[in-house]
Amino acid sequence: HVQVEGSLSVMLLLGGATIRYTNSVRSPPRCLSAGAGRLMSVVSSAKETIARTSRLFVDNAYIEAEGRTRLPVVSPADGRNFASISHASAADVDRAVRSARACFDGSNWPRSSTADRAGVLRRIAAMLRHPEKL
């Protein structure tokens, strides 16, 4: 599982499969009109988030990929590399899948009713729509 936060467009190649994550911004960020100090704060925060989350997320922890191989993250605005993310090997993907399977099998989720699962998914969707209420 790869986690990416912020307004990025990232393409990952994992074992021949292409996974694309896009989080597009429909309107300009408010910080652009808030002055250079605020913009620098946002940029610094984004760099910290990227540094923290640019590794693989497996077994509830951020880890480096098996071979420590990294892929560049390219800014769609200017084409420059501004970060790098871990490049998962087939072994990394297998480990993540085994971990997710064990978590799934050890939980109540597969034994929950359809109505209960739907309720959980609706609450998650509401949190994604309104993160300020968290």
Side-chain angles (χ1 to χ4, degrees):
H1 172 230
V2 178
Q3 178 178 332
V4 180
E5 295 177 16
S7 179
L8 304 172
S9 180
V10 179
M11 183 176 287
L12 305 171
L13 299 175
L14 301 174
T18 301
I19 300 170
R20 186 172 187 97
Y21 169 87
T22 303
N23 181 5
S24 59
V25 177
R26 295 180 192 268
S27 60
R30 285 177 283 163
C31 65
L32 293 180
S33 62
R38 173 74 178 125
L39 181 58
M40 292 309 293
S41 173
V42 169
V43 168
S44 176
S45 176
K47 286 182 180 181
E48 290 169 12
T49 298
I50 290 167
R52 185 179 73 249
T53 62
S54 66
R55 296 174 289 159
L56 306 177
F57 192 75
V58 179
D59 289 331
N60 207 30
Y62 290 103
I63 61 168
E64 283 296 333
E66 179 183 60
R68 297 199 173 278
T69 306
R70 310 225 12 116
L71 294 172
V73 178
V74 179
S75 168
D78 59 17
R80 291 187 306 164
N81 293 350
F82 67 93
S84 65
I85 57 173
S86 289
H87 182 230
S89 68
D92 291 320
V93 173
D94 288 342
R95 177 181 173 194
V97 169
R98 279 193 309 275
S99 172
R101 183 84 238 179
C103 183
F104 178 81
D105 291 341
S107 73
N108 290 329
W109 186 261
R111 291 173 291 287
S112 299
S113 71
T114 304
D116 287 344
R117 286 186 267 168
V120 169
L121 293 174
R122 281 191 204 94
R123 287 192 299 277
I124 292 170
M127 287 187 271
L128 290 172
R129 279 190 220 100
H130 304 286
E132 69 279 0
K133 293 182 180 181
L134 296 177

